[in-house]
Amino acid sequence: MYKLINTTFGNQIVVRTNDNAYIPMDEANTDYQAYLKFLADGGTPLPADEGAA
Amino acid sequence: MAYGLINADQIGTSVANTSLGAGNASLMKNRIINGAMVIDQRNAGASVTPTATNTYTLDRWQAQLSVSSKYSVQQNAGSVTPPAGFTNYLGVTSLAATSVGSTDYYAIRQQIEGFNIADLGWGTANAKTVTLSFQVYSSLTGTFGGYLNNASDAYAYPFTYSISVANTWTSISITIAGPTSGTWNTTSGQGIKVGFGLGVGSTYSGTAGSWSANNYLSATGATSVVGTNGATFYITGVQLEVGSSATGFEYRQYGQELALCQRYAYIPNSSGNVYTTFAVGYVYNSTLGLATITFPVTMRVTPTFASSGNFQINAGSSTLNSSALSLNQGSPYTAVIGATISGGTTGYGASLSAQNTSSALLTFSAEL
């Protein structure tokens, strides 16, 4: 499962919740590629909390 | 274009009049990183039992599996004497007598970045021949298998090799004509995948010694290591080089090999100092410290970040325990780590360090 995080710099980062890994939105990052596949397969990440991490 | 000629002395052999750029030049000839299995940033020599496929073990080496926990991987598992010229090896131990179904697969592999194989001309009429060499040791004997494959797992070359004497290091050399077909990445993605089968079902096994448009991870009929409980498979000295014969293994200095690995994974830890400082920055507000870490080498892509252990923010004369770390901004060059704290004074200079523990570590992963 994934969760979105708002950062202090105004951007978003994806968190893989099973190991709390922070995945940048870089399309060459293989973890982000796996996240994009999760979305393409119909997955929905947990929404970001209000405020910044 | 004309190439110059060199005379190069190598370990165990000598190459004369090699054409520069035409293969087997002595510097950086080995396209495999950590082929001598020296670097183990993640586990520092401890055994790991992979539960998910593509788990990284020793640096750059992945465990492939279709069912979890069927084998363990450890640097120097079993503590046998490495082959002459080596001090380390990657050791696989089968944890059960696993029946390999037609779609099952177990293997160890390395994915070589496209930039590092761009000169091979694979997928063109000028595809260069390469030679894969390694030293292998197993409690089993027989015909073993492995593979080369492209990024999309759509163009593969299964190969076989023989281990005729158990529990003895055996030198293997396999020459492979470069493929004139298939799509081969030549930039920062997956270039060539090189793997060694530990038990692969018929769906992913093919005829050895030829390229085909299939996803093969081994050769038909190859020995299954995972099929025997307690079976061992040790490997080191893995080298993939241009040319039709194996030359001596390319020994690199430790720092050089570590730097090559750190393009894909950078894992600083506090094993040497329980207050190791990892990054410096400032207190953003009362609940958050920000600290920037500069990577020792440019990473392949903006890395994924994870952490484990206890950390603290040192700000002014205060020491503030951190309850969590996060990635706030990243690039292939630097990362800004956020540390959740309480009682911080906004604007103070700060550093992020381990909190009196030898087991704090940060993981930045830009693996293929």
Side-chain angles (χ1 to χ4, degrees):
Chain A
M1 180 53 75
Y2 296 94
K3 178 179 173 64
L4 297 174
I5 298 288
N6 295 322
T7 77
T8 54
F9 297 100
N11 56 325
Q12 280 196 325
I13 284 180
V14 179
V15 172
R16 189 171 56 211
T17 57
N18 66 330
D19 61 356
N20 206 37
Y22 286 73
I23 301 170
M25 293 184 174
D26 179 340
E27 293 191 0
N29 179 305
T30 51
D31 294 316
Y32 187 61
Q33 290 169 358
Y35 170 71
L36 293 178
K37 184 175 186 307
F38 164 79
L39 294 181
D41 291 343
T44 303
L46 299 172
D49 298 329
E50 290 190 14
Chain B
M1 172 179 180
Y3 294 109
L5 298 177
I6 62 168
N7 292 301
D9 291 327
Q10 301 179 334
I11 302 295
T13 186
S14 180
V15 175
N17 297 331
T18 292
S19 296
L20 287 173
N24 280 349
S26 62
L27 294 177
M28 301 303 288
K29 67 180 179 182
N30 189 2
R31 310 309 169 96
I32 296 289
I33 294 173
N34 201 25
M37 312 300 179
V38 173
I39 311 296
D40 187 15
Q41 292 187 84
R42 291 176 180 81
N43 300 300
S47 178
V48 60
T49 299
T51 58
T53 193
N54 299 334
T55 297
Y56 277 90
T57 62
L58 278 66
D59 277 60
R60 303 298 301 120
W61 291 98
Q62 283 180 294
Q64 291 183 274
L65 51 92
S66 55
V67 180
S68 69
S69 306
K70 296 301 185 183
Y71 65 92
S72 63
V73 181
Q74 184 177 19
Q75 185 184 47
N76 295 348
S79 301
V80 303
T81 302
F86 294 92
T87 56
N88 298 97
Y89 56 88
L90 182 155
V92 171
T93 304
S94 172
L95 300 178
T98 299
S99 176
V100 178
S102 61
T103 59
D104 284 334
Y105 57 87
Y106 304 91
I108 293 291
R109 78 170 177 192
Q110 179 165 140
Q111 300 184 93
I112 303 172
E113 187 174 350
F115 281 130
N116 297 337
I117 56 98
D119 62 303
L120 300 185
W122 283 17
T124 76
N126 298 316
K128 292 181 180 177
T129 294
V130 297
T131 296
L132 177 67
S133 57
F134 51 95
Q135 307 252 358
V136 66
Y137 176 116
S138 177
S139 60
L140 306 175
T141 59
T143 300
F144 291 70
Y147 72 94
L148 277 65
N149 208 336
N150 71 354
S152 59
D153 298 318
Y155 209 76
Y157 183 99
F159 61 80
T160 58
Y161 58 95
S162 177
I163 299 177
S164 57
V165 181
N167 299 323
T168 301
W169 288 103
T170 303
S171 295
I172 305 293
S173 171
I174 299 161
T175 295
I176 301 160
T180 55
S181 299
T183 300
W184 300 89
N185 189 347
T186 57
T187 59
S188 62
Q190 299 155 345
I192 300 173
K193 302 173 182 181
V194 180
F196 300 91
L198 303 171
V200 177
S202 58
T203 298
Y204 299 113
S205 297
T207 302
S210 64
W211 290 100
S212 67
N214 290 289
N215 180 14
Y216 289 145
L217 304 178
S218 189
T220 301
T223 299
S224 170
V225 175
V226 298
T228 300
N229 188 22
T232 56
F233 176 88
Y234 303 158
I235 188 168
T236 193
V238 184
Q239 179 158 284
L240 183 73
E241 61 188 307
V242 173
S244 55
S245 61
T247 63
F249 183 79
E250 180 187 50
Y251 295 97
R252 298 177 184 134
Q253 293 189 10
Y254 180 87
Q256 186 182 23
E257 198 76 55
L258 177 61
L260 292 174
C261 292
Q262 287 175 333
R263 176 169 172 77
Y264 308 94
Y266 175 50
I267 308 176
N269 65 68
S270 61
S271 62
N273 183 330
V274 296
Y275 292 105
T276 294
T277 296
F278 295 105
V280 294
Y282 62 101
V283 176
Y284 181 79
N285 59 30
S286 63
T287 61
L288 184 67
L290 295 176
T292 300
I293 187 168
T294 302
F295 306 136
V297 300
T298 301
M299 301 198 75
R300 185 185 68 85
V301 296
T302 302
T304 298
F305 168 73
S307 63
S308 64
N310 297 321
F311 298 86
Q312 64 188 29
I313 287 287
N314 310 295
S317 59
S318 300
T319 298
L320 307 170
N321 294 344
S322 175
S323 57
L325 299 186
S326 60
L327 176 66
N328 270 251
Q329 193 175 72
S331 78
Y333 318 105
T334 58
V336 179
I337 305 303
T340 302
I341 55 176
S342 63
T345 301
T346 301
Y348 270 28
S351 63
L352 171 68
S353 70
Q355 183 192 97
N356 192 24
T357 175
S358 61
S359 60
L361 63 82
L362 309 178
T363 300
F364 298 93
S365 175
E367 295 283 6
L368 287 159

